[in-house]
Amino acid sequence: MESFFTRYRNLIVLLTILLVQIVGLAVQVRRTDEGRATYEPKDPPGVRLIRLWGEALVAPPERGIQGTKMAVIGVWRNYLDLVHVREQNQDLQKTIDRLRLEQASLLEDARQGERLQELLDFQHRYIYSTLAAQAIGSSGSDQSRVFYLDKGSNNGLRPDMAVITADGIVGKVRDVFPSTAQVLLVNDQTSGAGVILETTRIRGILTGNASGQLEVVRVSADERIKAGEKVLTAGGDLVFPRGLPVGEVEKVARDPDRDGLIDVIVKPAAHLDRLDEVLVITNTAPRFSPEEQQDLATSEVVMGDDATAIKDQLKASQIMAERLPGLIDPNLPPEQQPLLDTSNPNPVSHPPQALRPDRFTPGNAPGTMPESGDSSKPDGAETPKTVTPTTGTKPKAAGPQTARPRTGAPQAAAPAIAKPEREPQ
Amino acid sequence: MSVLGVNFRRDMEIRRYPVLVYALLPLAALVLQAWLPRVVGPYVWFDLPLVVTVYFALGRRNPVQGTIMGASMGLLEDALSHHAIGVNGVAKTVVGFVAASVGVRIDVENHTIRLILNFLLSLLSSAIFVFTYRVLLGLDLEWRWFTELLRAVGNSLIAMVLFPLLDRLQIKES
């Protein structure tokens, strides 16, 4: 036996190490109900330990390299490369002033929208607080599009937090270590985010392909989707707040696996390949942040008169709405309300019935009454004669076209020019 | 044939390096592999941990050491990714074993052979990675062989420059 192990030592070591790794792989993958293989949602303890070792080994040198790089860049930008800074500063100050006014105006609209959403019991979450972080490293593989941040659980980061830049969304926090965090980029093949096309309002799932391109997959073919259309987050994935820029449509490709479906290739708004500083959305809330509320207060001061006028207009419109005829007829029982009548798409309210109907009652105009056999006709009442007018004046209609006869008898075809002989006294 | 055969005493020598080289070179490869993609963007057409694994496996000419070296590098690469731990580990374990086994049989001092070996072993690593990922685990993964081909070329070019530099670090027997 000893000679066997000695002789095949290399092969035994190889097979043992391979076997251990394959068993380890089997622990990390499970089958879904649909029969597809997928990763376990949470790393087993042993796997997490190996990830911790890897992170602990690589993160400190990466942090050092990134720190050195940023220090060199900082010295260059802050102390050496200062040509035209004064002019740029003045331009930026003007831009800030303009944006402040625009922001104040937009916040007023946004707050009004928020009130309406509250009325509709719709909870839209706003970005409440963010944490700036530096990207210090990556996985090193284009099959695993993740990168590492220099902030971790010690800084309040948690899995599934959204990571963005000023340009657009970047990814989500996948795993958190004490001083670093792993971010899964949106262009990874295993990534997914709910998005909506800005103009066509077509929704879809954003993911990455083998080339690292963003694509909205399995969208129904639609000719309205054109290159250049903006793509925004839809807000339904519980990671990204709604309305954040994702990118713009680059082209549309036919889904190779499914007929009638297309994949929309999206050019990312953020520079996913070269990220330095990112923002992690650490908190969202259904209210504005204190800073935004302060801006809102400023906007109300600046736009006080306009806001009062808008409120007055709202009040006036509410009063008008109350005065306008509704779809509820107080004279009809609940089951016959025109609002419930689905046969007529444009229901009209009926005038109340007269207690003592006469020929001037709508629907009882001369010529519209049945000649005989009307049991509802009062005894001894004369049947009015129909007289053809000799004048050329246009007669008025006898009553509303939708008016029903008082009796159950079928209504005779009313002459269009029926007119009483003399006006009622 | 003298190029391929192990006919010289020199070819059978096992290379030895200072401990620091054993410790720092793999670490440097891992750190650079993780950091450089942020500089070069999407053009990650190299795999430094694989190059280092091949270098040590060829130089040490010991399949067990090559296997352990490959497994360690692969597992640490997996630890930095979001994939299952072991996908790269399996691939580089096999590569380390094969490189060390080949190093016993042929002359690995020749630059052309080093170039070809790195190219072939890179492709082998990619093939095992895909096999493990898609067949063994049954996971979905889009794959572009052209990128793998470029990566194999990149690894060969890096090895051509790096191996002679690393050769200078070895301990010379007086």
Side-chain angles (χ1 to χ4, degrees), chain A residues 97-144:
Chain A
D97 293 341
R98 182 173 54 79
L99 288 175
R100 272 185 182 153
L101 285 173
E102 286 180 13
Q103 188 193 28
S105 173
L106 290 172
L107 276 172
E108 178 64 37
D109 292 342
R111 202 174 78 160
Q112 189 176 350
E114 189 188 20
R115 281 200 304 267
L116 291 171
Q117 285 171 353
E118 281 176 9
L119 288 175
L120 293 169
D121 199 21
F122 179 84
Q123 289 290 313
H124 173 56
R125 303 187 76 79
Y126 296 89
I127 297 173
Y128 192 77
S129 62
T130 57
L131 178 71
Q134 288 267 340
I136 56 171
S138 70
S139 73
S141 165
D142 54 0
Q143 295 299 331
S144 174

Side-chain angles (χ1 to χ4, degrees), chain A residues 194-273:
Chain A
V195 295
I196 185 169
L197 274 62
E198 187 181 41
T199 310
T200 53
R201 311 308 291 174
I202 293 171
R203 288 170 181 267
I205 297 171
L206 184 85
T207 187
N209 62 18
S211 309
Q213 289 177 310
L214 286 177
E215 56 182 16
V216 186
V217 293
R218 295 167 200 164
V219 178
S220 296
D222 195 323
E223 292 179 351
R224 294 176 299 161
I225 303 173
K226 302 289 183 195
E229 182 174 0
K230 289 205 175 348
V231 183
L232 308 171
T233 52
D237 51 20
L238 301 178
V239 175
F240 297 103
R242 193 177 64 165
L244 295 177
V246 175
E248 61 181 36
V249 175
E250 190 173 346
K251 63 182 178 181
V252 175
R254 199 167 57 83
D255 191 323
D257 300 328
R258 294 169 183 81
D259 289 335
L261 298 182
I262 54 171
D263 295 337
V264 181
I265 308 295
V266 177
K267 183 182 178 187
H271 301 286
L272 299 177
D273 293 324

Side-chain angles (χ1 to χ4, degrees), chain A residues 9-11 13-14 17-18 21-22 24-25 28-29 36-39 47 50-51 54-55 57-58 61-62 65-66 69 135-140 142-146 148 174 182 184 188-190 209-211 215 273-276, chain B residues 27 30-35 37-44 46 62-64 67-68 71 75-87 89-90 93-94 97 129 132-133 136-144 147-148 151:
Chain A
R9 187 178 59 121
N10 297 340
L11 212 54
V13 170
L14 171 71
I17 290 177
L18 283 179
Q21 290 184 88
I22 288 169
L25 282 170
Q28 299 170 64
V29 178
R36 290 178 62 240
T38 182
Y39 288 125
V47 172
I50 295 175
R51 291 200 197 282
E55 184 268 341
L57 202 64
V58 173
E62 277 181 343
I65 293 173
Q66 182 67 15
K69 178 191 162 191
I136 56 171
S138 70
S139 73
D142 54 0
Q143 295 299 331
S144 174
R145 297 183 189 280
V146 296
Y148 283 82
R174 184 190 166 274
Q182 189 190 59
L184 181 67
D188 185 82
Q189 292 184 53
T190 59
N209 62 18
S211 309
E215 56 182 16
D273 293 324
R274 292 177 187 176
L275 293 164
D276 272 329
Chain B
L27 179 63
L30 284 168
V31 171
L32 286 176
Q33 184 68 32
W35 187 75
R38 299 191 56 252
V39 179
V40 300
Y43 311 109
V44 194
F46 52 85
N62 186 327
V64 172
T67 303
I68 293 170
L75 288 174
L76 285 172
E77 268 193 292
D78 285 329
L80 297 177
S81 75
H82 73 291
H83 290 316
I85 301 277
V87 185
V90 169
T93 300
V94 175
F97 178 83
F129 184 94
T132 308
Y133 208 96
L136 218 57
L137 300 180
L139 293 165
D140 293 330
L141 182 75
E142 284 187 45
W143 197 254
R144 296 181 66 181
T147 307
E148 300 310 312
R151 183 173 290 121

